[in-house]
Amino acid sequence: MDPYKYRPNSEYNSTHWTTNTGMPVWNNNNSMTVGVRGPVLLEDYHLVEKLSNFDRERIPERVVHARGAVAKGFFEVTHDISHLTCADFLRAPGVQTPIIARFSTVVHERGSPETLRDPRGFAVKFYTREGNFDMVGNNFPVFFVRDSIKFPDMVHALKPNPKTNIQEPWRFADFFSHHPEAMHMFTFLMDDEGVPKDYRHMIGSGVHTFKLLNGDGRETLIKWHWRPSCGVANLATPEEIAEVQGANHQHATADLWDAVASGDYPEWGLFIQTMDPADEDKFEFDPLDVTKVWPEDRFPLQPVGRMVLNKNPDNFFAENEMLAFNPGLIVPGIAYSDDKLLQGRIYSYSDTQRYRLGGNYLLLPVNAPKCAHHNNHFDGVMNFMQRTEDVNYFPSRYDPARNSEKYPVVTAPLAGRRERAVIPKENNFQQPGERFRTFDPARQERFITRISEMLLDDGCNAEIRRVWVGYLTQCDADLGKRVAQKLTAKSAL
């Protein structure tokens, strides 16, 4: 008898009810009681087990990105970039890699409507032959803050008031009045793109700068970009948002599921922007600053491949709630940059998954690599990997496993003194002003109205409003003037 043939799997369901230990249950409708009317006996193991499992069938929701939808499929290389990277899954056109993608809202809780104004998460896990690679980004190419030490404060400001449990605009107006670098992000969040029509019509961005390394060890700075084949569409007006939200508060999840189920498979093209590391000091912005974009007229998008989502999850909990992403998961040929926000996320994401799912979360099927793997990470809570080795240390003459073949890594020397400092090239207002001026008049007016409504919140004082008007004026003089006029009309300045 193979003791592992019946590892937990619904394919091996018995024809009758059992406890978790396999003991048959002949009555799944009535508790064991003293007499017909009770009381209930504590010795009713089946009752206790059933209630205990029910009590624990929810796990802590994600602090951010709590509401999400997933689909599975493949990534296919369409253009040769082997001169830029030795990553195996990008080795040649035609190569396909299984993936799972998760789209999410960021700030709000798991049961919140998908029509709320909020950034959207766009994360893809590649199950490559060299291990898992997680491309973890958003639908906006920039972010609110550039240093991970500000991330908890930022989330606290955007989340509901801890006293009232109500999201209050004055709180984030106050917080971001201290962070002028956030103005660029607000030109996305308060723009029409702040509420995508659904997940299929949404762009994705890696946000951070990464590095590609080729077989010779040559480094290239890059940014990742996803573009939907069906085009970009948003809910631009309050009427459009109300119509969708009134019909279905989970419209984006339903749309993704229905598209996959009907065979109308969502597809995105993957593009990169590239920069020579020798040139990173030659521009008016810092290429590692997540509050900046790399202008496409100077750094054009280069096609790499396509992602096709052709399978819905088999179980929402197992493949969505237990799915765990981490921008720290890379493969040979891809490396981190010195982006301060990225460096903090590398730690924070794995730490939050260990809290939320447990220390062995990478053994869960949805997170485990699909390639052969081997290490000496043993035991711990809920470690369900069967280990039979005598040797759990390295090196050993009794374990044939050795170090892998060497692959290129970042070798640039590091030098500098310890300090807590702002980057030299902040340049907080140029790019948001340029973006605002690309909006047509109607889009500009919608943007100005949303910013003004935030600043007209009763909790905002005159100082906060003056600071914001000052920031917006530095972005674009007409923008600042028009916001000030709306505030003055309400006697808010």
Side-chain angles (χ1 to χ4, degrees):
M1 176 181 177
D2 180 358
Y4 302 110
K5 179 179 179 181
Y6 298 109
R7 282 181 173 175
N9 190 317
S10 58
E11 292 182 11
Y12 301 123
N13 281 346
S14 69
T15 57
H16 55 264
W17 293 111
T18 73
T19 66
N20 280 348
T21 62
M23 184 183 77
V25 173
W26 68 271
N27 186 335
N28 196 29
N29 295 314
N30 303 102
S31 304
M32 186 180 296
T33 59
V34 178
V36 176
R37 297 182 68 245
V40 174
L41 290 173
L42 184 61
E43 72 178 50
D44 188 347
Y45 174 83
H46 175 52
L47 169 67
V48 173
E49 179 187 80
K50 190 172 182 180
L51 292 178
S52 298
N53 274 268
F54 176 75
D55 293 344
R56 292 164 174 80
E57 67 182 31
R58 294 294 180 268
I59 58 177
E61 74 174 31
R62 294 165 170 90
V63 178
V64 288
H65 299 278
R67 163 142 228 162
V70 301
K72 298 178 283 188
F74 65 88
F75 173 77
E76 180 181 18
V77 179
T78 57
H79 291 73
D80 186 7
I81 62 167
S82 58
H83 61 292
L84 296 176
T85 179
C86 60
D88 178 74
F89 80 102
L90 298 172
R91 64 188 178 274
V95 172
Q96 290 190 357
T97 301
I99 59 94
I100 185 168
R102 185 175 190 268
F103 311 96
S104 57
T105 56
V106 175
V107 173
H108 302 281
E109 67 275 9
R110 192 156 49 195
S112 58
E114 292 178 312
T115 49
L116 297 180
R117 186 167 300 280
D118 198 14
R120 265 55 173 182
F122 194 120
V124 182
K125 186 181 292 291
F126 297 76
Y127 299 105
T128 87
R129 301 193 306 182
E130 296 179 310
N132 292 353
F133 168 53
D134 285 1
M135 192 182 293
V136 190
N138 287 333
N139 66 321
F140 302 149
V142 294
F143 201 63
F144 293 104
V145 293
R146 60 171 68 98
D147 194 313
S148 59
I149 201 170
K150 297 307 302 175
F151 189 81
D153 298 297
M154 180 207 76
V155 172
H156 288 168
L158 292 168
K159 287 277 193 181
N161 185 326
K163 182 177 181 179
T164 65
N165 199 38
I166 299 171
Q167 189 184 36
E168 299 170 354
W170 69 265
R171 286 167 41 81
F172 40 88
D174 174 33
F175 176 76
F176 290 112
S177 72
H178 301 277
H179 295 280
E181 69 270 25
M183 293 301 105
H184 200 184
M185 181 68 165
F186 274 94
T187 66
F188 288 88
L189 181 63
M190 294 301 191
D191 178 32
D192 296 348
E193 292 188 32
V195 186
K197 179 182 178 182
D198 49 55
Y199 294 133
R200 289 186 300 126
H201 292 85
M202 187 176 79
I203 70 168
S205 173
V207 181
H208 299 289
T209 300
F210 279 82
K211 290 183 178 180
L212 296 182
L213 295 95
N214 67 10
D216 297 324
R218 181 168 62 86
E219 300 176 17
T220 303
L221 296 174
I222 66 133
K223 281 184 175 286
W224 307 103
H225 298 274
W226 295 103
R227 293 292 184 267
S229 61
C230 60
V232 176
N234 306 299
L235 301 177
T237 67
E239 293 75 21
E240 291 174 336
I241 294 172
E243 180 180 358
V244 171
Q245 183 171 325
N248 186 352
H249 79 287
Q250 52 192 7
H251 77 284
T253 296
D255 175 83
L256 179 64
W257 180 280
D258 291 345
V260 174
S262 68
D264 183 17
Y265 300 139
E267 181 174 331
W268 285 261
L270 178 63
F271 298 81
I272 58 173
Q273 291 176 291
T274 62
M275 181 188 298
D276 188 331
D279 296 337
E280 63 177 300
D281 294 327
K282 297 180 179 179
F283 308 102
E284 72 282 4
F285 62 93
D286 186 331
L288 306 189
D289 181 0
V290 293
T291 70
K292 305 294 185 295
V293 297
W294 294 4
E296 291 183 21
D297 57 346
R298 285 183 278 174
F299 305 94
L301 296 180
Q302 305 171 44
V304 175
R306 68 188 186 114
M307 173 175 71
V308 178
L309 301 180
N310 58 11
K311 190 175 190 305
N312 279 315
D314 298 303
N315 179 278
F316 180 85
F317 180 81
E319 294 179 293
N320 186 324
E321 293 306 304
M322 294 205 297
L323 177 60
F325 288 98
N326 180 2
L329 298 187
I330 57 175
V331 292
I334 300 174
Y336 318 119
S337 74
D338 295 334
D339 170 355
K340 291 191 217 181
L341 187 66
L342 171 61
Q343 295 281 319
R345 290 180 75 204
I346 292 168
Y347 161 74
S348 182
Y349 274 61
S350 57
D351 185 57
T352 196
Q353 306 298 4
R354 291 187 181 100
Y355 161 74
R356 192 173 68 88
L357 299 172
N360 285 301
Y361 75 95
L362 288 174
L363 297 181
L364 295 169
V366 72
N367 299 321
K370 307 305 181 189
C371 60
H373 56 287
H374 177 61
N375 55 54
N376 289 324
H377 298 172
F378 265 70
D379 303 338
V381 176
M382 299 301 290
N383 189 327
F384 51 85
M385 177 177 283
Q386 176 69 13
R387 308 300 295 257
T388 59
E389 302 95 323
D390 292 317
V391 175
N392 62 349
Y393 51 85
F394 179 88
S396 170
R397 292 179 176 82
Y398 300 97
D399 185 346
R402 294 292 181 263
N403 289 317
S404 70
E405 293 184 9
K406 189 174 181 180
Y407 53 82
V409 296
V410 174
T411 58
L414 299 175
R417 65 185 183 187
R418 292 186 180 93
E419 56 186 322
R420 297 181 185 270
V422 178
I423 61 172
K425 293 182 182 177
E426 288 195 81
N427 198 358
N428 294 320
F429 306 114
Q430 178 183 343
Q431 290 193 1
E434 291 172 346
R435 176 172 165 80
F436 172 76
R437 289 188 288 275
T438 67
F439 297 168
D440 61 50
R443 190 170 177 179
Q444 285 188 358
E445 184 60 27
R446 290 193 295 270
F447 173 76
I448 289 169
T449 297
R450 294 174 191 131
I451 289 285
S452 300
E453 288 174 348
M454 177 185 70
L455 296 176
L456 285 168
D457 185 79
D458 290 340
C460 286
N461 60 30
E463 181 182 2
I464 291 173
R465 294 178 180 123
R466 282 196 294 268
V467 170
W468 270 83
V469 169
Y471 289 164
L472 296 170
T473 300
Q474 291 180 78
C475 294
D476 181 89
D478 184 57
L479 168 60
K481 178 181 177 181
R482 291 164 67 182
V483 170
Q485 288 173 340
K486 284 186 176 291
L487 299 180
T488 301
K490 297 287 186 177
S491 299
L493 277 180

